[in-house]
Every structure is written in C-alpha cells, then in structure tokens.
Amino acid sequence: MNNKTLLTLLLAASVAATSLFPSQLLAAPAETAKAKKAKAATKGKKKPARKAVSAPVSDYYTGEFVNFNQWKEVQQFTDEMATKHGFTRSELETLMGNVRYLDSVVQLVKPAPPGKPKNWTVYSSRFIEPIRIAAGVRFWNENAETLARAEALYGVPAEILAGVIGVETIYGRDTGRFRVIDTLTTLAFAYPVAPNREARMAFFRGELEATLLYARQTGIDPQSLQGSFAGAVGLPQFMPSNILKYGVDFDGDGHIDLRNSTADAIGSVASFLVGHGWQREQPGQIVYPATVSPARAWERFADGSLEAKFRPEDLTAAGIVTTSTLPPDMLYGLVDLQNGSEPTEYWVGSNNFYTITQYNRSYFYAMSVVELGRSIRLARP
C-alpha cells in the first residue's frame, strides 16, 4: 500500500473509538422532575423525520477474499457462538464465507512511529473550527428538546453531548465506510504483530461476538453495518459491545438505532458517560486553566493518569495554581497538553473531565469535546 492510499483511508476513516474496556451494564437512571417536564413539553408534537446518516451499503471499502472458514481460530469462534448463543454453524459459515480481509485496517491500527511530538494546537484545530462549530449549532437547534431531556434525565450538559457527537462524526457526516463485519473479523484473527497483540485480538473477538448478538436482537443483516476502521458504529461511534450495554431507545420507537436516530445517539452518549462515572452534582465547569511553578514539584501529578485523585490543597502545595478557585470537597488531576516545541498547556480536570477520557483515552480528545461544546454554546443565538 502506498502512502497516498493510506493517507486517503486515514482521512476517510472515522476519528473516534469508544472506551476499550467498558464497565458493567448501566440501568437507566430514574426520570427526574426536570426530565419529566422536558419530556412533557414534547408530548403530542410530531417527531422530526429521521435523517439517514450512514453511507450507502455499497459505498464501503472492499477488501480481499480470504476463506476465513478454513482458519482454525475462526472455526473455534464459530463453535463457541453456536454453543454459547445458539447460532447455527451453517449460518455462521455462510456469513464468514462473505467476509473480506481488510489489509487497510491492519495498517491503520499499527502504532504511530516513535519520536513524533504531540501537538495540542495542531490536534485541536481539526475539531474547534468554523465548519464543525456551525454544524454543531444546527445540530443543537434541531435537537434542542432531545438534548434538554437527556440533560435533565442523565445530568450530562447538552454542550458535552453535542461536543462528543461533533468530534466523533461531525454530526453524522462521517460515520465510517468500512463494513464492521470485515473490520472486526480481520482484527480479531489477523491483528498485526505488537506487544499487546493477543489482548487486542481478544478484544476484537468480543466485539465481533457483540455485533452478531446486536444484529440478531435488532433483526438487521450484520453485513449492512458500516463504521470506522476500528469497528465503531453510528453518530456516536459506539463499539458493538457498548451498543448492547449503553444503547438507549431515546426516541421510543422500540429500536436502538445509532446510525439513523439522533435521539438514540444523544441518549446513548449520556448513558455511556453516566455509566463511566459522570456525576450530575458536580459543577458545570469541569476543567480549569492552570500554571505550574518552576520548582517542578508538580511533576509527580503529571503521570498521565485518567482519573481525578488529588485534593485542591495537594495541587496548590506542589505549585499548581488555577486561575479560579477550585470547588472544595472534590478530587482533581493535572492535565498536560503538549504543544510540540512550544510550551505545554496545563489544566486541572475534575472527575467529569476524566469521565470523557473513558470514551476515548486521551486528554486531547476530552479537551476537544469540552472546547467544541463550549464554542457551539457560545455561537448559538
């Protein structure tokens, strides 16, 4: 594969992937009075027509035919699905006979070359830009009632929900053009050589299993699902296992459809964040600009951890100063956003900031969600 082809695939592929290790299934929270009021306001109103957002089934990256049914590991997987979930071997063999090997996704999951410095300014410019902000304003205006209902029910601010979907797919503009069944089968049984190869293959086998279960539950053809080069699906780019765990039928039509229902996408993002620790009682501001002292006693706090575990007084004692007073009785962490050869940008994040990193395990990602959501909120009339 030449560099031009690989670059084209990278640009076309969806940006995001969801949390790699989701926690247990979350029951929907009890409906609050605020949620009931928001829901009542929409009662009796005609639902807006659904907008198809996924690419046509014919418009996907095709791969190379490989007879996966001859692979010993695939045969073992087929046996497990038949024994564990009651699938018939003949239907699975027919399905696997149509699966394509995608060398392109094998190339895309390979780690980036070492030594390239991270650059927050360059990264954020891809997401906090006029086209995406304008699309976010339209999305918020068209789905204001649904966003308000999700915020009231789950406690996740509308701007965070809009930020996630905007960063993931530009509000459904780019949901991915890889057949999920091809992607997951390729990565489950032909993952590239890497130190964590076995763990990654096990992860993608689990996602392949979830895909087949989701397709059976919803009555769809698993070959019709399209997504990112990692197998993520729909407006919010959920991995199939997360659709099963956190997917919400938020439009009440009896189906969870993250490809075509903006309401289901909004409710499911909120459900995912609550399931990973979002706390509604915490303040709306979840990250605070900070400076660090030259003494560098603060360096032990810059450990790349994805959890808030330090008290405000601990941060202050180490020379970490925020531009505004941190709310007491909460835990925080130091967020360092590297800027290549330019000075690193420092912030202090609360629990809810770190919850966003469970969607994509990156400070850059979480900060892009926060900044895009804020920009959209400020740009709305």
Side-chain angles (χ1 to χ4, degrees):
M1 178 183 295
N2 59 40
N3 290 335
K4 184 176 180 182
T5 301
L6 182 56
L7 178 59
T8 300
L9 289 169
L10 278 165
L11 291 174
S14 175
V15 174
T18 54
S19 170
L20 300 186
F21 302 102
S23 54
Q24 298 300 314
L25 173 63
L26 170 76
E31 194 167 24
T32 64
K34 185 177 179 182
K36 290 178 180 177
K37 183 177 180 181
K39 188 174 183 179
T42 65
K43 190 174 182 180
K45 293 185 179 180
K46 185 179 180 180
K47 288 184 181 179
R50 285 188 171 186
K51 297 180 180 179
V53 295
S54 51
V57 173
S58 60
D59 186 17
Y60 59 81
Y61 294 113
T62 56
E64 174 186 356
F65 174 74
V66 171
N67 191 349
F68 279 106
N69 282 317
Q70 293 181 346
W71 293 28
K72 179 180 178 181
E73 294 82 359
V74 175
Q75 293 172 3
Q76 291 173 343
F77 175 79
T78 299
D79 289 341
E80 290 171 4
M81 293 298 293
T83 302
K84 185 177 177 181
H85 299 296
F87 287 91
T88 64
R89 286 174 175 80
S90 60
E91 65 178 323
L92 292 177
E93 288 170 356
T94 300
L95 176 64
M96 287 299 175
N98 293 322
V99 170
R100 296 276 176 161
Y101 170 81
L102 296 177
D103 183 67
S104 54
V105 304
V106 173
Q107 302 304 321
L108 287 166
V109 298
K110 289 182 177 179
K116 186 176 181 180
K118 296 180 180 180
N119 194 310
W120 161 243
T121 301
V122 172
Y123 180 96
S124 62
S125 67
R126 298 162 52 198
F127 302 104
I128 321 304
E129 47 83 28
I131 292 176
R132 204 176 295 247
I133 293 171
V137 170
R138 289 193 298 272
F139 177 83
W140 194 328
N141 290 340
E142 292 171 358
N143 298 280
E145 294 171 343
T146 303
L147 288 165
R149 181 159 60 92
E151 180 173 340
L153 180 60
Y154 291 97
V156 182
E159 66 185 79
I160 297 297
L161 301 175
V164 167
I165 297 174
V167 168
E168 291 291 346
T169 61
I170 322 179
Y171 307 99
R173 184 176 302 179
D174 181 10
T175 57
R177 291 192 292 149
F178 294 86
R179 278 203 324 180
V180 170
I181 195 73
D182 295 340
T183 292
L184 295 179
T185 302
T186 298
L187 296 178
F189 302 106
Y191 197 86
V193 176
N196 62 346
R197 182 173 186 263
E198 291 303 318
R200 301 305 295 139
M201 290 174 70
F203 167 75
F204 285 110
R205 283 195 297 273
E207 294 302 329
L208 180 59
E209 176 183 4
T211 299
L212 297 178
L213 291 173
Y214 172 68
R216 184 169 68 177
Q217 288 178 11
T218 55
I220 63 174
D221 181 354
Q223 297 175 96
S224 71
L225 284 173
Q226 290 176 222
S228 75
F229 67 84
V233 176
L235 281 86
Q237 292 291 273
F238 268 27
M239 294 300 287
S241 64
N242 283 329
I243 300 177
L244 294 176
K245 290 180 174 70
Y246 304 106
V248 174
D249 174 23
F250 211 53
D251 61 12
D253 69 350
H255 303 282
I256 298 172
D257 184 1
L258 303 187
R259 296 182 292 171
N260 301 299
S261 170
T262 54
D264 288 1
I266 289 167
S268 297
V269 171
S271 169
F272 179 95
L273 292 174
V274 170
H276 286 80
W278 188 278
Q279 298 176 17
R280 70 161 62 235
E281 67 275 10
Q282 291 195 356
Q285 184 174 353
I286 63 175
V287 65
Y288 303 81
T291 58
V292 294
S293 69
R296 309 190 72 84
W298 49 267
E299 285 188 331
R300 65 187 180 90
F301 294 94
D303 58 0
S305 174
L306 298 180
E307 62 176 316
K309 53 186 179 181
F310 304 110
R311 298 173 301 172
E313 53 267 34
D314 297 329
L315 300 175
T316 302
I320 302 169
V321 180
T322 54
T323 56
S324 58
T325 303
L326 296 176
D329 302 322
M330 288 172 51
L331 297 178
Y332 301 89
L334 181 63
V335 178
D336 55 333
L337 303 178
Q338 300 171 37
N339 261 321
S341 60
E342 298 299 315
T344 296
E345 194 173 305
Y346 293 99
W347 296 73
V348 168
S350 68
N351 170 81
N352 285 349
F353 174 84
Y354 286 97
T355 297
I356 300 174
T357 68
Q358 301 307 305
Y359 208 109
N360 185 305
R361 304 175 73 82
S362 161
Y363 289 164
F364 281 16
Y365 175 86
M367 186 61 76
S368 293
V369 167
V370 172
E371 289 296 318
L372 177 60
R374 175 180 175 276
S375 298
I376 295 168
R377 173 173 55 81
L378 294 176
R380 292 187 71 220

